[in-house]
Amino acid sequence: MRFDPKYANLLFGTMLSGIMVSVVSAAVLLINQGLTPDFLSRWLKSFLSTWPIALPTVLVVAPRVRRLVNWLTRA
């Protein structure tokens, strides 16, 4: 499945925030509570409660970070 290039930033932000929230929420849950029998349900609850915060944050911050990185790495 291919997407129109005009959706590249939205797709990038959605994928990046989803991956980051998945990894970080699982790591924090493992560190704080260990691998419990209800780990998956707790992780899913954590993911679903934090991803709506992470997605708009990434969509707003990523373009600014890209500009800053471009500015910092100019020859």
Side-chain angles (χ1 to χ4, degrees), residues 15 19 23-24 26 33 38 44 50 56 59-61 70-71 74-75:
M15 293 174 70
I19 292 166
V23 171
V24 172
Q33 298 182 4
D38 61 344
L44 183 59
T50 54
L59 293 177
V60 169
V61 172
N70 285 338
W71 182 77
R74 274 192 224 145

Side-chain angles (χ1 to χ4, degrees), residues 42-73:
R42 286 177 180 254
W43 168 79
L44 183 59
K45 181 179 178 183
S46 176
F47 174 84
L48 292 174
S49 64
T50 54
W51 192 47
I53 298 165
L55 177 57
T57 301
V58 167
L59 293 177
V60 169
V61 172
R64 290 165 174 80
V65 171
R66 281 189 188 128
R67 282 194 297 272
L68 178 60
V69 168
N70 285 338
W71 182 77
L72 289 170
T73 57

Side-chain angles (χ1 to χ4, degrees), residues 6-7 10 12 17 20 24 29-30 33 61 63 71-72:
K6 69 181 177 183
Y7 297 113
L10 179 63
F12 172 82
S17 64
M20 291 303 300
V24 172
L29 192 58
L30 276 171
Q33 298 182 4
V61 172
W71 182 77
L72 289 170

